[in-house]
Amino acid sequence: MHIIESGNVAAATGVKLSRVQVIAAYPITPQTPLTEKLSEFVESEQLTAQYIPVESEHSAMAVCIAASTAGTRAFTATSANGLLYMNEQLHWAVGARLPIVTCVVNRGIGAPWTVWNDQQDSMAQRDVGWIQLYASDHQQIIDSVIKAFRLAQTVSIPVMVCYDGYLLSHTYMPFDLPEQSEVDAFLPPFVPKHFLDPENPGNFNTVTLPDVRPGVDGTMRPGYIEIRHNLHQDLRAALDSYAEIDREFEQRFGRGGSPFVEQYRCDDARFVAVAVGSLSYQLRDVIDTMREDGIAIGVMGVQMYRPFPDQAVASALAGKECVIVFEKALSYGNQGPLYSDIKSTLYRMDDRPIIHNYILGLGGREIKTQQLLDALTESCARPAAIEDTPRWIGLKLQEEHHG
Amino acid sequence: MATKTYCEMISRSQPGPGDGGNTGSWRVKRPIIDYDKCIPAKTKKRACFTCWLLCPDCVVSKTIPPAINLDYCKGCGICAEECPAGAIEMVDEASQTGKEK
Amino acid sequence: MAEKTTILNLTEEEFVHSGNRACTGCGLSIVYRIGLKALGKNSVLVVPPSCLTVLQGLYPVASTKLPCVNVTFASTAAAATGVRSAMMALGKDDVNVVAWAGDGGTSDIGIQALSGACERGDNIIYICYDNEAYMNTGVQRSGTTPQGVLTTTTPIKGKLQVKKDVPAIIAAHGIPYVATASAAFPLDFYDKVKKATTIHGPKYIHVHTPCPPGWGFDTRYTIKVGKLAVETGLFDLYEIENGSFSLSAPSQRLVGKKRPPVSDYFAAQGRFKSLDTDMVNTIQQQVDAKWAA
Ligand SMILES: Cc1ncc(C[n+]2csc(CCOP(=O)(O)OP(=O)(O)O)c2C)c(N)n1
Ligand code: SF4
Ligand code: SF4
Ligand code: SF4
Ligand SMILES: [Mg+2]
């Protein structure tokens, strides 16, 4: 069934279809309508779940952590400063290996206050160990939420489903609504290996020593570094598991097939533009225009950012002349985070493409198609030039704007 | 694809005694119960058990007579201080080492 | 009213293992041991960083025989809510969900989450053991450190501010049960925890917990010092049940009686060394005025 709804409602509907058992959330623009929709689903009994209107995002994730440790499927959603306020809890959730799913409705970070879209919030969390999926349209939002729950419980690692604030969260688009019975068949109930059980008491997240230590049964148990190594190995293995989950999703729902990167007109391309989220779809129009002018260019949207799908990225970019990375986030004092990651992926190639970086759209600055066209035209004209610092798009640096 | 086992390591501890080792070795003074003074020992009746109630380390038994597990007794002296019959004496551990119980 | 528990009928079942890492003579060890007896097997614990984290053991050995989740410092009460909501979702609602946190974890960094849980009416028991400083990190002042106390962050003058009255703050939320207790009166504490397991909604118990190294007294005096705090009238034991206040027996006994001077309590501990006579007199007058009211 096709419906026309906002991106936030697409997310909320995905959460409902996933039969989440515990929801805790705290309002923040532009996530708010998602939270409101979920409370409506619970109060109207369309969804049987506990809804906890917590007093902060730190507590929202605390509820999810504890509820998940107790053996239930838990969900929260946030944006920007709310995500940052959770930071300690994000680390805790992944260290405890809990299959929590969180929607991050991407928004810029203060100071100064901004409520508009960029991707600094979730990009700044790239090192915590959560899996990060990015959706480019409403269909991908709802599908990603469902796949995220399946992935999270398969690999025992929490998943962030990120999508652009306003551009996706508040716009209306048609999307296909999966059947509940199909979702149930795709996403079995969460059956934890260990949970808070008076019949089999365990002490979770105990202080763990630098070195290995024998347990009460005499067998040697890992130290902190082994536990963290195990997490890293599992994150790397999660790439294969996600590919498989995506394949299964495609068989059942007819959508998928590109779990890591989505390529558009890349096959014969000499140049590839790269972006995350809705910007990658906006770039498609630009690419079409350039193709009409005979420039062999394509676009690659990155859909999974952590674990970083380096093989998929490498095979998509192998043999290209120039890769142009557009980012709505910045590792301040350095360069765009995705740019750094792609560069390190290309490093192992003998014949690696030249790579350019553009920063744009911070704090919701409008991204004009003409600007993208100009930037790409410039990069394609002088592909060999590498700069140490990213180029910025759309800055208005007249005198009167200073101070 | 071979199914991989995920999450083989989390910090989930199992209940057991002696996480801190044989904490009896922390002791500087050792509690010794004088069964001639101890109320349940003397009367052969279930009575008092103040030492059992107040011991922070669960090492006194609620038995007639009460007994102290010296493997884990840290030697705080709370039992001696609170015994209503003055039946427990704290003696220097050094004077006891080697001696039977 | 339920029968008062006596030593003789108090259960022999232990939920804490011997040989744990708590200090010799630790007051927390006493309240934890007794509190878990009252809660019983069908309970889930939530613990933030504190001395209790250490008492509970280092991976892979736990000194607690009940299921427990260690959580971040500020999140204790919210995590308890999370366990409760999971139990509701799973239809296991007979489980006691119990947060155990120190005074720092309660009165300072965790008060927002605790206030939130109380305001929402979440069905949890929250036990704050008050050793009146951040002991785990080496005796720094907390919101509940009393005036005049020397800590490693009030090293010369002693704490200038008065003790934060956390039970009163929590009682102001209008929750069904607030009680204070003391390690020196373990059976009174036991009965309060037991009562809390029978009440629906948020329950808060604030238990005064002497700490030999942090307070500066010999390990054998843990009970004596705790008793003095109550008997001098400094730390009062009471219950507030559905808004109605009652003094508990150890404090009720003091009404109309001559109490030992607060200086007895101060003199028993190293941490009050910097209190001068004027200050002691002022505190004595404040206590007298409180008891006269
Ligand atoms: C967010 C955060 N800040 C600081 C700490 C360091 N810390 C651990 S325990 C502790 C003090 C605990 O004091 P209290 O709650 O009174 O318990 P006690 O140690 O006295 O038993 C502090 C400050 C931490 N673990 N997390
Ligand atoms: S407290 Fe003293 S009298 Fe009472 S049981 Fe113990 S040793 Fe005996
Ligand atoms: S000395 Fe302390 S630890 Fe040993 S039995 Fe007495 S009270 Fe228990
Ligand atoms: S510092 Fe105090 S509260 Fe902490 S374990 Fe030692 S005696 Fe107990
Ligand atoms: Mg403390």
Side-chain angles (χ1 to χ4, degrees):
Chain A
M1 185 179 68
H2 265 73
I3 59 169
I4 298 176
E5 261 298 357
S6 71
N8 276 329
V9 170
T13 309
V15 172
K16 175 162 86 73
L17 289 168
S18 300
R19 296 195 190 277
V20 72
Q21 291 161 291
V22 175
I23 301 163
Y26 191 78
I28 180 167
T29 303
Q31 157 265 31
T32 323
L34 163 54
T35 314
E36 291 166 349
K37 194 70 191 172
L38 286 171
S39 9
E40 182 192 317
F41 282 152
V42 173
E43 282 202 9
S44 63
E45 295 177 10
Q46 289 173 265
L47 170 62
T48 309
Q50 304 294 317
Y51 183 95
I52 317 295
V54 283
E55 80 298 329
S56 75
E57 289 88 355
H58 194 276
S59 287
M61 193 51 79
V63 168
C64 291
I65 286 168
S68 185
T69 310
T72 55
R73 185 171 286 159
F75 175 83
T76 185
T78 189
S79 298
N81 292 63
L83 184 66
L84 303 188
Y85 197 49
M86 272 183 196
N87 176 275
E88 171 191 37
Q89 302 288 67
L90 296 174
H91 286 269
W92 200 262
V94 65
R97 303 299 302 267
L98 301 168
I100 298 163
V101 171
T102 295
C103 279
V104 178
V105 189
N106 289 120
R107 158 180 161 180
I109 289 167
W113 280 118
T114 170
V115 296
W116 295 279
N117 167 252
D118 65 38
Q119 295 167 334
Q120 189 70 32
D121 50 1
S122 55
M123 285 288 168
Q125 303 298 329
R126 68 188 181 274
D127 295 338
V128 299
W130 280 56
I131 293 169
Q132 287 196 347
L133 305 177
Y134 285 82
S136 304
D137 66 9
H138 293 37
Q139 189 68 61
Q140 287 183 5
I141 293 174
I142 185 167
D143 292 352
S144 299
V145 166
I146 296 165
K147 285 189 277 189
F149 279 107
R150 172 75 187 274
L151 176 61
Q153 72 185 34
T154 303
V155 303
S156 297
I157 296 171
V159 181
M160 267 178 219
V161 176
C162 311
Y163 56 92
D164 290 310
Y166 294 113
L167 302 174
L168 295 178
S169 68
H170 284 63
T171 53
Y172 284 70
M173 278 199 232
F175 56 92
D176 186 70
L177 193 64
E179 287 294 326
Q180 182 69 63
S181 57
E182 292 289 322
V183 176
D184 289 345
F186 174 76
L187 178 63
F190 169 41
V191 184
K193 245 190 275 183
H194 299 293
F195 57 100
L196 291 165
D197 180 8
E199 295 306 319
N200 180 19
N203 195 293
F204 290 79
N205 318 323
T206 323
V207 178
T208 298
L209 292 166
D211 216 333
V212 299
R213 186 182 184 215
V216 286
D217 60 1
T219 62
M220 208 47 104
R221 306 301 303 158
Y224 180 91
I225 195 171
E226 285 77 21
I227 291 175
R228 287 290 168 156
H229 171 255
N230 184 244
L231 166 65
H232 179 72
Q233 297 301 104
D234 284 1
L235 269 160
R236 296 305 302 170
L239 289 163
D240 284 345
S241 290
Y242 189 54
E244 190 157 309
I245 287 166
D246 180 75
R247 225 172 293 130
E248 222 187 281
F249 189 91
E250 189 182 19
Q251 279 160 14
R252 193 173 285 281
F253 299 97
R255 292 183 298 275
S258 54
F260 306 123
V261 294
E262 238 186 340
Q263 299 176 71
Y264 180 76
R265 304 186 81 164
C266 284
D267 283 355
D268 63 338
R270 286 168 56 211
F271 307 100
V272 176
V274 179
V276 174
S278 61
L279 180 58
S280 70
Y281 279 21
Q282 190 183 352
L283 278 162
R284 290 181 175 190
D285 294 340
V286 184
I287 266 67
D288 288 343
T289 309
M290 294 176 76
R291 283 271 179 182
E292 278 165 26
D293 294 341
I295 302 173
I297 187 165
V299 59
M300 179 181 92
V302 175
Q303 298 194 285
M304 178 188 257
Y305 182 51
R306 282 293 181 275
F308 192 63
D310 43 358
Q311 281 179 16
V313 169
S315 65
L317 300 182
K320 306 300 178 195
E321 205 166 307
C322 182
V323 173
I324 308 106
V325 184
F326 292 90
E327 292 190 77
K328 296 196 275 188
L330 179 57
S331 176
Y332 282 92
N334 192 26
Q335 50 202 199
L338 179 62
Y339 176 71
S340 301
D341 290 331
I342 291 180
K343 258 200 309 187
S344 76
T345 295
L346 299 182
Y347 181 78
R348 72 186 75 169
M349 293 179 187
D350 292 334
D351 188 16
R352 48 183 176 262
I354 296 295
I355 176 162
H356 293 173
N357 192 196
Y358 290 92
I359 304 299
L360 74 176
L362 299 188
R365 173 62 59 87
E366 189 189 354
I367 299 169
K368 298 204 171 81
T369 301
Q370 185 62 45
Q371 293 172 327
L372 297 172
L373 186 62
D374 292 347
L376 284 173
T377 306
E378 160 73 12
S379 278
C380 294
R382 299 193 303 117
I386 298 189
E387 286 161 23
D388 292 334
T389 174
R391 304 176 202 179
W392 291 64
I393 293 181
L395 283 182
K396 298 178 182 173
L397 295 177
Q398 290 96 337
E399 211 54 42
E400 62 267 30
H401 287 108
H402 290 277
Chain B
M1 188 183 93
T3 41
K4 178 186 172 345
T5 328
Y6 281 97
C7 195
E8 287 178 323
M9 293 181 194
I10 52 166
S11 177
R12 175 183 177 276
S13 298
Q14 284 188 316
D19 165 58
N22 282 1
T23 51
S25 66
W26 298 6
R27 231 174 17 244
V28 183
K29 293 199 168 183
R30 171 183 297 197
I32 294 186
I33 307 178
D34 181 347
Y35 290 136
D36 293 335
K37 291 188 188 158
C38 165
I39 301 164
K42 237 171 34 183
T43 61
K44 306 267 185 292
K45 291 211 177 75
R46 288 173 57 79
C48 187
F49 296 131
T50 304
C51 49
W52 168 76
L53 174 71
L54 298 178
C55 175
D57 287 286
C58 329
V59 295
V60 186
S61 65
K62 196 183 187 183
T63 49
I64 306 170
I68 295 171
N69 179 351
L70 289 172
D71 288 346
Y72 294 125
C73 161
K74 293 172 185 164
C76 64
I78 292 175
C79 53
E81 184 66 26
E82 302 300 326
C83 171
I88 305 179
E89 196 190 342
M90 300 302 291
V91 301
D92 271 349
E93 191 61 32
S95 71
Q96 297 296 309
T97 29
K99 269 202 225 168
E100 268 294 295
K101 196 165 165 213
Chain C
M1 162 116 209
E3 278 291 294
K4 291 246 181 285
T5 304
T6 66
I7 301 187
L8 291 188
N9 67 19
L10 180 64
T11 177
E12 275 176 62
E13 193 174 1
E14 300 288 354
F15 297 94
V16 184
H17 277 294
S18 301
N20 62 56
R21 288 170 205 262
C23 307
T24 308
C26 172
L28 164 61
S29 295
I30 298 174
V31 297
Y32 197 52
R33 173 176 172 234
I34 300 296
L36 297 198
K37 281 175 186 278
L39 293 169
K41 182 168 179 271
N42 200 22
S43 305
V44 172
L45 310 177
V46 179
V47 173
S50 57
C51 279
L52 185 49
T53 320
V54 178
L55 189 163
Q56 287 207 95
L58 304 188
Y59 179 73
V61 184
S63 296
T64 303
K65 299 181 197 175
L66 297 179
C68 173
V69 57
N70 291 280
V71 300
T72 58
F73 206 17
S75 72
T76 317
T81 297
V83 175
R84 172 56 72 203
S85 28
M87 293 303 161
M88 285 163 73
L90 298 168
K92 298 190 221 167
D93 213 30
D94 56 335
V95 176
N96 300 313
V97 178
V98 192
W100 277 87
D103 50 290
T106 302
S107 72
D108 297 332
I109 197 168
I111 199 163
Q112 172 177 321
L114 175 56
S115 175
C118 290
E119 182 272 331
R120 290 188 300 270
D122 295 339
N123 187 20
I124 60 170
I125 300 175
Y126 190 108
I127 299 175
C128 167
Y129 67 92
D130 185 4
N131 53 22
E132 301 189 325
Y134 297 161
M135 295 310 177
N136 182 245
T137 40
V139 203
Q140 294 84 25
R141 83 191 277 287
S142 81
T144 71
T145 303
Q147 198 171 17
V149 166
L150 295 169
T151 67
T152 53
T153 49
T154 54
I156 295 159
K157 298 181 190 167
K159 186 179 162 185
L160 302 176
Q161 301 81 2
V162 298
K163 182 178 173 77
K164 192 192 277 194
D165 189 351
V166 183
I169 294 168
I170 302 308
H173 289 74
I175 66 171
Y177 188 69
V178 173
T180 60
S182 163
F185 298 94
L187 296 175
D188 173 72
F189 175 58
Y190 178 94
D191 284 336
K192 286 168 176 167
V193 176
K194 200 87 195 162
K195 186 184 281 183
T197 65
T198 66
I199 298 170
H200 191 87
K203 286 80 58 176
Y204 178 78
I205 302 177
H206 192 101
V207 55
H208 197 234
T209 306
C211 162
W215 294 12
F217 61 84
D218 188 276
T219 57
R220 64 189 286 146
Y221 299 125
T222 301
I223 301 293
K224 287 263 143 59
V225 167
K227 273 197 176 143
L228 267 176
V230 174
E231 286 164 356
T232 54
L234 278 163
F235 191 90
D236 307 329
L237 305 192
Y238 59 82
E239 291 175 287
I240 305 173
E241 242 182 301
N242 295 316
S244 92
F245 177 96
S246 60
L247 277 181
S248 309
S251 290
Q252 181 64 40
R253 284 200 283 273
L254 309 173
V255 177
K257 298 265 161 51
K258 195 171 149 36
R259 287 168 275 106
V262 293
S263 54
D264 285 6
Y265 177 66
F266 298 150
Q269 305 164 61
R271 63 176 175 153
F272 289 104
K273 273 202 309 262
S274 75
L275 276 188
D276 57 27
T277 338
D278 281 354
M279 193 65 191
V280 173
N281 289 339
T282 310
I283 296 173
Q284 185 66 62
Q285 281 160 18
Q286 286 164 353
V287 171
D288 291 345
K290 177 178 78 179
W291 279 87

